Amino acid sequence: MDRLHHALPHSASRQQLLADVNLTPLDQLPAVLGRWARAAEALQAAESRIAAARAQAAAGSTCEETDDRTADIQHDAGHRGDRQPGRGAA
């Protein structure tokens, strides 16, 4: 769990991981952690492409590769886009 938490680059992703783990029934926890592990691996695999895109943007150039995989990664991590911020279970 700690390795997953530190592998995620954004605080929002880390918070979502913690919320998912805390709200998941114990019998479903391995599947949830597996989705998060795959999402973290995908982000780490894309690290060099992300750095190259940032360098191009900093130089004022446009990125040649425009394959946005954000939705796929969020889906793999179990992110539910239909949630409304500030609307908890209470």
Side-chain angles (χ1 to χ4, degrees), residues 4 17 20 24 28-41 73-80:
L4 272 177
L17 167 67
D20 287 353
T24 298
Q28 297 173 15
L29 193 55
V32 169
L33 289 174
R35 284 194 301 271
W36 275 103
R38 287 188 298 278
E41 289 168 357
I73 292 169
Q74 288 179 334
H75 178 268
D76 290 347
H79 177 73
R80 294 171 295 282

Side-chain angles (χ1 to χ4, degrees), residues 4-59:
L4 272 177
H5 188 264
H6 289 290
L8 297 170
H10 304 291
S11 61
S13 299
R14 290 186 211 113
Q15 289 175 344
Q16 185 64 51
L17 167 67
L18 294 175
D20 287 353
V21 168
N22 287 324
L23 297 174
T24 298
L26 191 55
D27 63 323
Q28 297 173 15
L29 193 55
V32 169
L33 289 174
R35 284 194 301 271
W36 275 103
R38 287 188 298 278
E41 289 168 357
L43 286 169
Q44 287 177 339
E47 190 172 0
S48 64
R49 291 192 319 254
I50 293 168
R54 286 181 177 157
Q56 284 181 329

Side-chain angles (χ1 to χ4, degrees), residues 48-90:
S48 64
R49 291 192 319 254
I50 293 168
R54 286 181 177 157
Q56 284 181 329
S61 176
T62 59
C63 297
E64 293 177 18
E65 185 178 335
T66 59
D67 185 20
D68 185 358
R69 304 281 317 263
T70 304
D72 295 337
I73 292 169
Q74 288 179 334
H75 178 268
D76 290 347
H79 177 73
R80 294 171 295 282
D82 58 342
R83 272 194 193 170
Q84 294 180 0
R87 304 248 352 203

